[in-house]
């Protein structure tokens, strides 16, 4: 913003044009808390806030983008900025030693969010998700085996009887509290006029910004704060609903296995987009009570399309961004055994909710291939369909995405064909 435009937003009685630091110090006259705004001599066209505190004049570069700021906080007026700054300076100066110690003996484990979480979860059943297991691959008579070899026979579907105990980081955002507020980590007052601390938008935990770095990854999302099912972070959703996998995945797969495994072109043939959108709205509105039965959606391709849409719209893909390159590199390994070892190592790096969702989905897709004579969908065809759905590069580069498509297809194909030994 230009100098003239910025000046119009400043209190004229506080703006003193171009001044040196020495002149600003003299004008303030040593009055504690006094301030003025001047144009910088060192950088003409920019503004500096000169503020008296602790028997010295402090100088801050002043910015304006519709609101005034010198740091992260933004204020309607320079006066509010100074008031908040004086509060912060006073507390950090007079109570520096106390502030340094206030996180060393937090009440979080004893009185705060964790105890409430334990009370809330105590009556529920114990952990129900599948732990990733480390295996070694070797070939015997051209067949892949593992040690120990564990094969799955059927899909177990009882989400209502399972509890998710996955770790989840808090979704902290800077927050302005109305009235006095205390940190739920250290039990100390949160000072300032605005942006006094941070607030977890998923569970409601309120803490100092500095305390947020020490809070454990134990967020238990509150269903009342989760506004939708589609496009919601996968771990957040399963934690909020206390399931091991998203209910969308469980319900759609159950419906497809009930009446769609023999449907020609399953997952390749698209359902009507309007009806798929209706399914999405039903899940967002009704959650696990959404009716996706044949009475409402007779075409199974609508349910298959809704499942693909859900997986495609996840903010973090099932195969997460941070392991994407690991899987792509694994797909390029020529030796089949070494390649499977690399894929397995990648699976072990997935967050638990993502691992469990991928495991369950691969078991389902393996079952789909067992009906290939009817649905004409083998593991390669399913790899083509689900590769770009389950795997997305961290950076949206059209050329890189195009080059990676064959590797994405191969990864999903191998996951389907070897799901009983990879998971």
């Amino acid at each position: 913003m230009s100098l003239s435009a910025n000046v119009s937003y400043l209190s004229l009685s506080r703006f003193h044009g171009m001044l040196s630091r020495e002149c600003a110090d003299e004008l303030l006259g040593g009055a504690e808390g006094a301030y003025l705004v001047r144009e910088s001599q060192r950088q003409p066209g920019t503004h500096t806030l000169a503020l008296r505190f602790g028997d010295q004049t402090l100088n801050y570069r002043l910015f304006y983008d519709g609101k005034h700021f010198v740091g992260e906080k933004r204020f309607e007026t320079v006066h509010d900025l100074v008031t908040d700054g004086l509060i912060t300076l006073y507390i950090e100066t007079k109570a520096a030693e106390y502030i340094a110690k206030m996180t060393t003996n937090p009440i979080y484990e004893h009185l705060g969010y964790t105890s409430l979480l334990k009370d809330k979860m105590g009556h529920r059943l114990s952990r129900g998700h599948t732990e990733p297991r480390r295996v070694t691959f070797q070939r015997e008579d051209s067949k892949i085996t593992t040690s120990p070899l564990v094969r799955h026979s059927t899909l177990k579907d009882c989400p209502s009887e399972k509890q998710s105990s996955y770790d989840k980081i808090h979704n902290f955002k800077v927050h302005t509290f109305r009235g006095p507020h205390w940190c739920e980590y250290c039990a100390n007052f949160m000072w300032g006029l605005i942006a006094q601390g941070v607030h977890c938008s998923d569970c409601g935990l309120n803490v100092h910004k500095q305390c947020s770095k020490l809070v454990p990854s134990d967020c238990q999302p509150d269903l009342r704060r989760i506004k939708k099912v589609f496009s919601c972070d996968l771990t957040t959703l399963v934690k909020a609903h206390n399931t091991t996998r998203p209910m969308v995945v469980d319900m759609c797969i159950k419906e497809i296995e009930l009446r769609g495994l023999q449907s020609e072109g399953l997952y390749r043939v698209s359902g009507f987009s309007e009806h798929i959108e209706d399914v999405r709205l039903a899940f967002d509105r009704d959650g696990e009570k959404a009716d996706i039965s044949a009475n409402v959606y007779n075409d199974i391709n609508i349910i298959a399309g809704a499942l693909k849409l859900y997986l495609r719209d996840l903010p973090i893909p099932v195969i997460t961004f941070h392991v994407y390159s690991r899987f792509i590199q694994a797909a390029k390994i020529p030796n089949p055994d070494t390649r499977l070892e690399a894929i397995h190592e990648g699976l072990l790096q997935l967050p638990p909710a993502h691992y469990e969702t991928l495991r369950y989905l691969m078991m389902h897709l393996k079952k789909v291939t067992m009906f290939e004579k009817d649905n004409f969908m083998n593991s390669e065809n399913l790899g083509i369909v689900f590769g770009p759905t389950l795997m997305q590069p961290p950076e949206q580069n059209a050329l890189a995405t195009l080059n990676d498509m064959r590797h994405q297809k191969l990864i999903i194909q191998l996951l389907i064909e070897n799901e009983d030994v990879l998971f």
Side-chain angles (χ1 to χ4, degrees):
M1 178 171 285
S2 67
L3 174 62
S4 58
N6 201 349
V7 169
S8 66
Y9 289 98
L10 301 173
S11 171
L12 293 177
S13 63
R14 299 291 182 182
F15 182 67
H16 292 261
M18 185 175 287
L19 287 177
S20 66
R21 290 190 174 208
E22 293 74 21
C23 289
D25 189 42
E26 185 177 342
L27 278 173
L28 292 175
E32 194 78 352
Y35 71 94
L36 61 80
V37 177
R38 62 183 176 85
E39 183 181 356
S40 174
Q41 283 188 328
R42 296 179 180 179
Q43 293 180 295
T46 64
H47 291 88
T48 298
L49 171 67
L51 172 66
R52 286 294 297 182
F53 181 81
D55 297 325
Q56 60 180 322
T57 300
L58 306 175
N59 292 277
Y60 301 93
R61 176 79 178 273
L62 183 63
F63 300 90
Y64 183 82
D65 63 356
K67 291 187 178 182
H68 304 280
F69 63 99
V70 297
E72 293 182 349
K73 296 184 180 183
R74 284 164 165 73
F75 300 83
E76 296 290 345
T77 67
V78 174
H79 181 76
D80 286 346
L81 185 156
V82 170
T83 303
D84 183 84
L86 287 171
I87 293 172
T88 301
L89 285 169
Y90 184 85
I91 291 176
E92 291 183 351
T93 301
K94 303 298 182 182
E97 185 177 350
Y98 180 79
I99 292 173
K101 293 180 178 178
M102 71 185 191
T103 59
T104 59
N105 187 29
I107 54 91
Y108 185 76
E109 291 287 343
H110 311 295
L111 303 176
Y113 172 81
T114 298
S115 61
L116 294 175
L117 175 61
K118 288 177 181 177
D119 290 341
K120 186 186 298 183
M121 301 292 284
H123 69 282
R124 297 179 180 175
L125 297 176
S126 61
R127 192 175 195 156
H129 69 269
T130 301
E131 290 285 357
R133 56 191 181 84
R134 191 174 297 276
V135 296
T136 302
F137 295 87
Q138 56 188 4
R139 287 186 175 264
E140 294 179 2
D141 298 328
S142 300
K143 293 183 179 180
I144 298 173
T145 64
T146 65
S147 178
L149 177 62
V150 179
R151 295 186 178 272
H152 307 291
S153 56
T154 58
L155 291 177
K156 294 181 175 61
D157 181 30
C158 48
S160 62
E161 297 180 358
K162 293 182 178 180
Q163 172 185 328
S164 168
S165 53
Y166 305 148
D167 288 343
K168 180 191 178 307
I169 61 173
H170 291 270
N171 187 18
F172 285 123
K173 296 179 180 178
V174 175
H175 189 76
T176 295
F177 299 95
R178 303 302 176 190
H181 221 86
W182 281 262
C183 173
E184 294 175 56
Y185 182 81
C186 69
N188 288 285
F189 182 66
M190 292 198 280
W191 55 86
L193 292 183
I194 67 169
Q196 303 95 331
V198 294
H199 170 83
C200 178
S201 59
D202 291 338
C203 71
L205 183 67
N206 303 311
V207 296
H208 288 113
K209 184 176 180 180
Q210 60 267 38
C211 290
S212 69
K213 301 172 185 177
L214 304 174
V215 175
S217 300
D218 60 357
C219 178
Q220 180 61 36
D222 188 336
L223 265 178
R224 293 171 296 180
R225 301 176 185 274
I226 307 300
K227 303 187 186 304
K228 56 185 178 180
V229 172
F230 277 60
S231 301
C232 177
D233 172 68
L234 196 154
T235 301
T236 298
L237 189 67
V238 299
K239 291 281 286 185
H241 286 269
N242 192 38
T243 59
T244 56
R245 298 175 298 275
M247 103 280 283
V248 178
V249 174
D250 280 354
M251 292 174 63
C252 288
I253 286 179
K254 181 178 180 180
E255 195 67 27
I256 291 167
E257 293 192 353
L258 179 67
R259 57 187 175 95
L261 288 176
Q262 295 175 298
S263 177
E264 183 175 340
L266 181 64
Y267 288 118
R268 180 177 53 78
V269 177
S270 300
F272 288 111
S273 58
E274 296 87 350
H275 294 164
I276 292 173
E277 179 65 13
D278 287 342
V279 175
R280 183 187 72 80
L281 293 174
F283 275 116
D284 283 344
R285 182 183 62 247
D286 304 324
E288 58 190 13
K289 295 181 180 178
D291 186 357
I292 59 172
S293 66
N295 295 330
V296 182
Y297 302 103
N298 183 56
D299 183 2
I300 197 62
N301 294 311
I302 295 171
I303 308 304
L307 175 59
K308 289 190 296 180
L309 177 64
Y310 170 77
L311 296 170
R312 187 167 59 249
D313 281 358
L314 286 171
I316 301 175
V318 176
I319 294 178
T320 58
F321 294 128
H322 85 281
V323 296
Y324 177 84
S325 59
R326 179 188 288 263
F327 277 91
I328 293 299
Q329 293 305 313
K332 298 177 181 179
I333 298 174
N335 181 275
D337 295 339
T338 308
R339 184 169 56 205
L340 283 181
E341 287 276 9
I343 292 173
H344 181 66
E345 288 299 317
L347 291 173
L348 297 177
Q349 301 302 312
L350 289 174
H354 288 249
Y355 177 92
E356 173 62 19
T357 300
L358 185 62
R359 181 191 71 84
Y360 191 76
L361 180 62
M362 292 304 108
M363 290 173 68
H364 162 67
L365 294 181
K366 183 67 168 288
K367 184 174 287 189
V368 171
T369 64
M370 295 177 183
F371 292 83
E372 181 186 352
K373 290 183 179 180
D374 301 301
N375 58 38
F376 300 104
M377 295 300 290
N378 57 28
S379 59
E380 183 177 4
N381 293 335
L382 290 170
I384 294 172
V385 172
F386 279 94
T389 300
L390 299 175
M391 301 179 65
Q392 298 171 28
E395 298 178 0
Q396 295 300 321
N397 182 301
L399 182 59
T401 302
L402 189 63
N403 291 334
D404 286 350
M405 286 184 67
R406 60 192 179 95
H407 302 306
Q408 295 171 348
K409 185 266 294 183
L410 178 59
I411 289 295
I412 303 306
Q413 179 181 345
L414 291 173
L415 288 175
I416 294 171
E417 292 172 353
N418 302 284
E419 62 81 22
D420 53 353
V421 293
L422 281 169
F423 293 94

